[in-house]
Each structure stands twice: as structure tokens, then as C-alpha cells.
Amino acid sequence: MRHLMSPLDFTVEELDRLFDLANDIEANPAKYAHACEGKKLATLFYEPSTRTRLSFEAAMLNLGGSVLGFSDQNCSSAAKGESVSDTIRVISCYADICAMRHPKEGAPMVASLKSGIPVINAGDGGHQHPTQTLTDLLTIRSLKHRLDHLTIGLCGDLKFGRTVHSLINALIRYPEIHFILISPEELRIPSYIREDVLKKNNVPYTEVERLEDVISDLNLLYMTRVQRERFFNEEDYVRMKDFYILDKEKMELAPEDMLVLHPLPRVNEISVEVDNDPRAVYFKQAQYGVYVRMALILTLLEVEV
Ligand code: NCD
């Protein structure tokens, strides 16, 4: 039985197969409409989410399966003090696969050790968010037709943004990737990513503060929200929250074929006037999130179509 804790749980070849499957699902949805009939997905969300939970549920429903779960830990037995290990042992009797989001780093991993069903990490604190990374990679591969030879600007809250941490981990396996890390001093990438991931693997990267200085060099711009819920005090958040605002003026400095991605939810970091720019693909990205989660469910449940 396989779980998904980190994007590195799949080899590059396995990811290629997963993305081919996701593209086939996109092209032939009817072929997959009954693939998971009789199967159940449990969504155990101990932290708020719109896209991730609903896209998992939509994915399972599109495959003909059913869903159950909770979206607020106060509505679950966690509020009575139940451990994730106990919860997952019980859920294993009710469902065939589960997606878990938890504010504590490593909680889905702890659950997977006691689970009788595949566990998917749907975001653990500031640590990882592998299914968002699968979504990001599928979006890039489908729209840019490659995952190598890219200069990628990651902009915003690089300290607490788990999507960025997972994406860096996943992309360093492809040749000729260059990262430009764009953040205020206080929200720089954690040193464990700089040292253990980037430097250790000789991945070229640059750290800058001003987006306007580098936007013309980028193939991709990955914008992120300042992660309010991970700040220790509100004042720091208020000071940081509008540090970057991608607007029409900045988009004029960007290459014509640069793509703008964002895991969403967006707050102020991308002005709504950018939404109609053909380079803005963040809503398409959300759609790819459903296809890739369908492909993931099929793969972990070993369902052949
Ligand atoms: C991201 C997350 O939860 O980390 N959202 C998502 O799953 N699409 C990004 C965020 O909350 O900023």
C-alpha cells in the first residue's frame, strides 16, 4: 500500500505516467466516470480549505465514487482529544482512501503509520503540500510542454508557504532549473531548504526583494499569499501583507510567454485586473488540480481503466 507524503514519493518516471493519465482524464472524462464505483474517499481536514478539500471530493465524485469526512476539527473527535493515529484506524474501516490536512507538520505521516488505507497529505502546517505540487507540475507541463530549462520566480511568503517548499523539492529533479526567490527579508525561504535542498544539489538560485527587477527574466512567476495563520502576531502580518501586488504595470515588464501561477486563495498579491491577461493561469491551475487528484486516486487505489 502506498501513501503520498511528499512529491518525492514518486519518481520522475512515475510522475510522468501520472501526468499522462491526468491529461487523458482531461481529454476523455467519460472513460473514467465509473472507475471508482463503490469506493469511498474520506477527507479529514483539521485546517480550513476550499480548493483542496472540494477538489478531492470533486475528483472522487467524477470517478463515480463517494466521499465522507469533516472540514473542521471542532466537528470531529479531535475536539474530544482523539489522536490522529486512533482516528485513522477507525476511518480505515469506513473508507478506501483518505486525504488529510493538519496544522501540525508530520501529522499525516504519523497517521499513515497506523493506517489500513492509503493516506494523502493534503497539507501539513508550513511543511509540505504534495498534491498542490502535482497540480503545479501538471499545469506547467500541460501549458509549457516541459518541466526542465525554466527560470522560475517564487514570490511572496517563502518562509511559511508550504506550496513553495514542496514545489522546490519536486523541481530540482529536472535539468536546468533556476530559481529566483523573491521575498521580503523576513519571509525568506527557510534555511533547511536553502542548505539541504538547493545548495546540496547545486541548484542555481538567486534571492531578491524587488519583483520588478527580475520579472523580465522569468518563464514562470509563482505568486503566494502571506500566510496569516502562521504569524505569531497580527502586526507583523499587517506590515507584510501588501508587500507584493502584481498589477498590469508589472505585467508589462514580463515576457509575453511568462505564466503566472498561484495556488490560491489570492488575497491582495495579484490585482484582479491581471485575471484577464492570457498569461494568468491560476484558475486553469485549479482545474488541473481536479484532473491530477483523479489520476492520483486511481494510482493509489491501483484501479486500471
Ligand atoms: C495553499 C495551502 O493550503 O497551502 N492553498 C491550497 O491548497 N490551494 C496555499 C495557501 O493557503 O496560501
Side-chain angles (χ1 to χ4, degrees):
M1 189 177 54
R2 258 185 116 161
H3 307 286
L4 178 72
M5 292 299 128
S6 142
L8 302 182
D9 293 348
F10 285 117
T11 64
V12 168
E13 293 72 30
E14 284 174 326
L15 284 184
D16 270 333
R17 283 201 290 278
L18 188 83
F19 298 145
D20 287 342
L21 179 58
N23 287 140
D24 193 55
I25 290 169
E26 178 185 10
N28 308 292
K31 193 169 131 190
Y32 297 89
H34 303 285
C36 283
E37 234 156 48
K39 304 248 188 249
K40 295 191 226 46
L41 163 81
T43 50
L44 313 180
F45 276 61
Y46 295 83
E47 221 189 31
S49 162
T50 310
R51 245 153 311 276
T52 307
R53 185 171 59 83
L54 295 186
S55 66
F56 263 114
E57 297 190 356
M60 192 48 151
L61 296 173
N62 289 346
L63 292 167
S66 349
V67 296
L68 66 166
F70 55 82
S71 54
D72 177 353
Q73 63 172 328
N74 296 321
C75 302
S76 79
S77 286
K80 299 181 188 166
E82 187 174 52
S83 67
V84 289
S85 305
D86 281 3
T87 304
I88 197 70
R89 287 176 82 154
V90 174
I91 300 295
S92 299
C93 310
Y94 305 157
D96 302 281
I97 185 164
C98 99
M100 178 185 283
R101 169 169 290 191
H102 204 286
K104 284 207 183 110
E105 281 85 1
M109 169 67 93
V110 169
S112 72
L113 301 173
K114 289 285 159 63
S115 180
I117 57 174
V119 178
I120 300 167
N121 176 5
D124 62 328
H127 185 220
Q128 295 253 16
H129 192 346
T131 61
Q132 182 62 47
T133 297
L134 299 182
T135 302
D136 302 339
L137 296 182
L138 175 65
T139 307
I140 300 167
R141 201 182 87 138
S142 303
L143 302 178
K144 276 261 173 233
H145 310 290
R146 65 179 196 273
L147 286 167
D148 47 32
H149 294 82
L150 292 168
T151 299
I152 302 168
L154 300 165
C155 179
D157 185 348
L158 308 188
K159 179 177 180 186
F160 296 117
R162 57 190 171 196
T163 59
V164 165
H165 305 161
S166 283
L167 187 58
I168 293 177
N169 266 294
L171 277 168
I172 61 158
R173 297 191 289 182
Y174 298 91
E176 302 294 331
I177 294 291
H178 177 198
F179 291 109
I180 302 193
L181 306 171
I182 310 153
S183 75
E185 179 66 28
E186 284 164 271
L187 298 178
R188 281 172 69 191
I189 201 91
S191 60
Y192 78 90
I193 303 245
R194 192 179 302 107
E195 301 301 323
D196 300 345
V197 182
L198 295 169
K199 284 194 183 159
K200 210 171 176 175
N201 293 289
N202 295 318
V203 179
Y205 71 94
T206 323
E207 294 189 88
V208 299
E209 202 171 270
R210 278 168 49 89
L211 173 58
E212 331 37 341
D213 291 349
V214 293
I215 196 165
S216 63
D217 299 331
L218 305 178
N219 300 123
L220 296 172
L221 173 59
Y222 193 93
M223 294 295 295
T224 63
R225 165 182 78 89
V226 176
Q227 307 278 300
R228 180 183 203 159
E229 64 277 32
R230 314 226 187 271
F231 275 68
F232 292 112
N233 68 68
E234 183 71 9
E235 271 163 46
D236 286 344
Y237 168 71
V238 170
R239 208 159 36 77
M240 291 286 125
K241 74 180 172 62
D242 293 331
F243 204 94
Y244 297 106
I245 299 180
L246 181 65
D247 53 16
K248 259 190 168 159
E249 224 179 317
K250 291 198 191 79
M251 286 301 283
E252 273 166 25
L253 305 172
E256 262 176 33
D257 60 351
M258 185 192 81
L259 297 182
V260 183
L261 282 82
H262 190 308
L264 304 177
R266 163 207 14 218
V267 187
N268 288 330
E269 59 280 357
I270 304 181
S271 158
V272 287
E273 68 191 19
V274 175
D275 295 357
N276 292 330
D277 189 307
R279 294 169 289 182
V281 297
Y282 28 91
F283 292 113
K284 255 188 211 162
Q285 190 181 351
Q287 178 65 62
Y288 282 117
V290 179
Y291 302 135
V292 91
R293 289 183 174 97
M294 290 171 74
L296 179 66
I297 291 169
L298 291 172
T299 304
L300 294 181
L301 288 178
E302 297 178 7
V303 175
E304 299 267 350
V305 177

